[in-house]
Every structure is written in C-alpha cells, then in structure tokens.
C-alpha cells in the first residue's frame, strides 16, 4: 500500500511500567512511537494517577490529554489505542474500544481471569478490529528460527 | 524462569502488578504467560492437561498470589512440558531463564530466553557433519519499549497489519487461550489434581 495515512493513536494508561515516563525520561511505549512509521500519537489518557500526565505537553506539545476513556472515545479522532492498563481494567476498556471501532494493542495481563476477557473477545470478533496482545517472545528472531528448526523435523518428535 | 523477589527493596509489593485486585495472580499470571505463549508457539498446539503447584516462599506478595509456580503440561500432540517460574532471586534486576526443547532426535537450548545464543544438536543425516551448532544473534538496540530493533519491528508489523487489513499473527484468541491455561493451572494447584484445559469462548 503506497503512503497510507498515519494511524492516529492514543495511549490509554500511564501507570504500567512498560509505558515509560515523560519526566524523568524512562524508556517505554511512549518513546517507541517516535520511531514507528505510519503512526501519529494524538492523545494520552490516564484516569487514575493524573500526575502521570505531567510532562506530556513538554514531550509532545501537540497531544491532547484525557482523564476519562469515554471522553477520549467521544471527543478524539483516532484509529488505534495502545492499552497499557492493570489487568482488571483491560476488559472494560477493550470492550469500549472495540465497540467504538478502534484497533488496539493490549499489554499483558489482559484480565484477572479468562472469564473476565470473554466479553472483550466477543466484542472484537463482532466488530472486527485488529488486536495485538503483548506477548512479544515468539517474534524474537531466535524463536522464529527455532520454530523453523522444529517444524523441519530436525529435532524429531517432541 | 527466576526473577527478582517481590519484597521491600526488590520488586515493590505495592505495585499493582503484585496485587490480587488488579493482577489476580502471581508469577505464573504476571510473567509466566510470556513463556506459556512461547511454548504453544513452538509446539504448534495447545496444552491439553496441566498439573501445577504454587507456593509463597518469599511471602511479601499479596495473599493469595504465588511467588513460585511449578507446572507440568501434556500438549495436544502428546508431548510433555514444564515450567518452573519464581519471584525468587534476592538480587534485584537479575533474571535466570532457560528454554530447552527436547525431541527424540535432538534438542535445542536457548539460555537465557531472549539472549543471543541458540545451541542445537541433532542426529538427523543433514547434520551429520556438524551435529551440534550454536547460532549467535545480534540484537541492535532501539529506543522505547524492549530496547531492541526486533521489538520495534514487532510493533511496526502490527501497524502494517492494520494498514493492509491483515490479521496479526498473534490475536485476541491467543491471549484468551493463554489465560485459560493459567486459570487451569491455578485450579490444579488448588485442587491438587491434573486439570483438562477448556478453550474457547
């Protein structure tokens, strides 16, 4: 696809260790977005530890800041959400995003129990968004090559 | 997989990832899921049966979450596996991990998991000239989450999948299945018996 429009992206949740911080600058997803192509970070949303939003405008002066997910969904034009929330908050947020037609990444863990995730799974199937769970290890080049070795039969029956 | 203890001066017991209300599970839930997902990827099928034991040898993590989880698995293809995961290391910030895959004709050792060396040995005829090989990888650094170019590539692929309307190679169903396996492991640890894992919505 030639020059697709950038995906307008909102980060939902700033408390998780993997999201990083603005000040001091501790690396995380916040900083990944500066090095990804085809995305434009348009908003940050944090509804619990509001001090986490401090420094967002110094780091990203054009971003919009939200303290409520419903507000973000109603008032911001975005295509993709980066959900980095505690496990007990992911299902409700994911269902809202799926029903609003937003693709999303979800950092692990995705729920306290599998049963808590079932409605989110159904919502994603019904609405057809793309969702990426935060399990990166199979994408490590070593894992990919090991899978190839296994599938070729080099190690025999497991 | 052993990582730092949840304790004052180590992994902060007040962090939400170590609480029952927010996380709902201990080491197997918070970190073990990574390696359970990796195992199902490498094996190419789901776990059918699980038998687990959990413990709290360090004891600062909120009850009833576990510091230590040991589980044995029977996969759908008849293979067996196990995991030994713990918030056990006293030195903060250090991890010990190892993945060993044993087949009837060879085995592979990725130690530490995520590290740059994979050692493989095989008795298959193609390998008769060099039955043991070590593959060395380099992981160029990159800014942001994960700190490696391959991690950034993983995220970039998801962006591409959305733009090109391709299904990502890891989906919400995979996440659901891993959680169902973890739940079954917890049920096994509670009941003291092996549990058949039920998958699907």
């Amino acid at each position: 696809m030639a020059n697709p429009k950038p995906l307008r992206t909102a980060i939902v949740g700033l408390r998780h260790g993997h999201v990083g911080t603005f000040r001091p600058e501790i690396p995380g997803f916040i900083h990944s977005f500066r090095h990804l192509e085809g995305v434009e970070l348009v908003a940050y949303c944090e509804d619990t530890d509001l001090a986490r939003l401090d420094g967002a405008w110094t780091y990203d002066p054009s971003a919009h800041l939200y303290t409520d997910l419903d507000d973000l969904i109603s008032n911001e034009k975005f295509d993709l959400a980066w959900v980095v929330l505690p496990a007990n908050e992911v299902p409700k947020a994911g269902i809202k995003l799926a029903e609003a037609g937003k693709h999303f990444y979800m950092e692990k863990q995705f729920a306290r129990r599998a049963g808590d995730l079932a409605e989110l799974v159904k919502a994603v199937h019904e609405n057809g968004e793309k969702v990426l769970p935060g399990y990166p290890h199979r994408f490590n080049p070593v894992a990919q090559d090991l899978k190839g070795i296994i599938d070729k039969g080099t190690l025999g029956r497991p | 997989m052993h990582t730092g203890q949840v304790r004052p001066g180590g992994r902060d017991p007040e962090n939400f990832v170590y609480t029952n209300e927010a996380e709902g599970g201990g080491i197997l839930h918070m970190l073990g899921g990574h390696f359970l997902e990796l195992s199902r990827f490498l094996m190419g099928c789901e776990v059918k049966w699980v038998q687990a034991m959990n413990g709290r040898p360090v004891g600062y993590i909120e009850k009833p979450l576990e510091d230590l989880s040991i589980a044995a698995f029977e996969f759908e293809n008849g293979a067996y596996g196990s995991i030994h995961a713990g918030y056990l290391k006293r030195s903060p910030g250090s991890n010990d991990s190892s993945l060993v895959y044993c087949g009837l004709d060879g085995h592979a050792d990725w130690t530490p998991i995520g590290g740059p060396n994979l050692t493989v040995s095989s008795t298959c005829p193609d390998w008769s000239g060099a039955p043991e090989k070590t593959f060395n990888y380099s992981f160029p650094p990159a800014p942001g989450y994960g700190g490696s170019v391959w991690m950034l590539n993983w995220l970039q692929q998801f962006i591409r999948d959305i733009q090109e309307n391709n299904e990502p190679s890891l989906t919400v169903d995979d996440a659901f299945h891993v959680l169902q396996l973890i739940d079954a492991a917890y049920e096994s640890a509670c009941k003291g018996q092996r549990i058949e894992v039920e998958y699907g919505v």
Side-chain angles (χ1 to χ4, degrees):
Chain A
M1 178 184 285
N3 299 323
K5 283 200 312 197
L7 297 174
R8 295 159 301 184
T9 303
I11 291 187
V12 178
L14 294 176
R15 285 164 282 154
H16 197 292
H18 290 176
V19 81
T21 59
F22 300 114
R23 291 187 307 203
E25 193 166 311
I26 296 176
F29 286 122
I30 290 171
H31 311 95
S32 301
F33 279 97
R34 286 211 164 153
H35 304 276
L36 290 171
E37 294 175 2
V39 285
E40 180 192 352
L41 240 180
V42 297
Y44 300 93
C45 178
E46 170 54 45
D47 65 3
T48 303
D49 186 354
L50 304 189
R52 298 268 177 171
L53 289 165
D54 292 348
W57 274 332
T58 305
Y59 182 78
D60 203 343
S62 61
H64 300 144
L65 305 185
Y66 293 86
T67 57
D68 179 84
L69 179 60
D70 292 333
D71 203 15
L72 169 74
I73 290 172
S74 298
N75 295 309
E76 187 68 42
K77 287 189 173 45
F78 67 103
D79 311 292
L80 168 64
W82 217 258
V83 179
V84 202
L85 290 169
N88 62 328
E89 298 179 23
V90 173
K92 194 171 165 187
I95 290 167
K96 287 182 178 182
L97 291 163
E99 290 175 348
K102 313 298 182 188
H103 308 291
F104 59 93
Y105 167 90
M106 54 182 187
E107 180 55 49
K108 63 86 188 159
Q109 270 296 1
F110 325 106
R112 293 180 74 256
R113 292 285 177 269
D116 300 335
L117 198 66
E119 290 304 312
L120 181 153
V121 175
K122 283 185 199 160
V124 170
H125 285 167
E126 281 166 13
N127 291 281
E129 288 79 27
K130 313 262 182 262
V131 174
L132 181 68
Y135 283 144
H137 289 290
R138 65 159 68 185
F139 301 97
N140 186 305
V142 179
Q144 292 285 310
D145 284 354
L146 177 53
K147 176 67 170 159
I149 289 169
I150 292 167
D151 287 352
K152 211 173 159 191
T154 304
L155 306 182
R157 189 162 62 84
Chain B
M1 184 277 294
H2 295 159
T3 188
Q5 293 176 8
V6 176
R7 67 177 303 129
R11 290 176 176 260
D12 182 5
E14 302 297 314
N15 190 306
F16 64 75
V17 297
Y18 309 121
T19 67
N20 193 25
E21 181 187 352
E23 182 70 22
I27 182 77
L28 190 68
H29 192 269
M30 217 287 276
L31 287 174
H34 279 302
F35 307 106
L36 298 178
E37 206 298 296
L38 182 59
S39 297
R40 55 191 289 279
F41 166 66
L42 293 173
M43 200 60 75
C45 63
E46 304 288 1
V47 168
K48 186 172 165 63
W49 292 92
V50 58
Q51 182 140 27
M53 296 172 75
N54 290 342
R56 296 173 44 81
V58 181
Y60 288 97
I61 195 170
E62 186 180 4
K63 286 181 183 175
L65 308 190
E66 80 284 359
D67 290 309
L68 169 68
S69 184
I70 304 169
F73 310 110
E74 181 181 339
F75 287 85
E76 288 173 340
N77 63 358
Y80 294 90
S82 62
I83 187 170
H84 189 296
Y87 292 128
L88 297 176
K89 294 205 71 179
R90 188 65 176 88
S91 314
S94 66
N95 298 311
D96 289 339
S97 64
S98 185
L99 183 146
V100 176
Y101 183 104
C102 293
L104 297 183
D105 299 328
H107 89 284
D109 187 327
W110 187 17
T111 300
I113 301 172
N117 302 310
L118 175 69
T119 301
V120 183
S121 63
S122 173
T123 58
C124 77
D126 288 352
W127 283 51
S128 59
E132 179 165 308
K133 300 177 191 178
T134 296
F135 301 92
N136 301 305
Y137 297 78
S138 67
F139 296 131
Y145 173 65
S148 292
V149 166
W150 77 262
M151 292 278 264
L152 208 58
N153 288 342
W154 165 56
L155 304 180
Q156 188 69 69
Q157 183 59 49
F158 180 49
I159 306 302
R160 210 171 290 129
D161 287 336
I162 295 171
Q163 290 170 329
E164 297 174 5
N165 198 24
N166 295 323
E167 192 62 16
S169 52
L170 189 69
T171 69
V172 70
D173 295 293
D174 293 297
F176 193 43
H177 288 186
V178 173
L179 272 176
Q180 287 175 311
L181 171 56
I182 292 172
D183 280 1
Y186 283 147
E187 183 183 349
S188 169
C190 278
K191 291 181 175 176
Q193 65 190 53
R194 76 173 190 159
I195 296 295
E196 186 171 7
V197 190
E198 294 180 11
Y199 294 104
V201 177

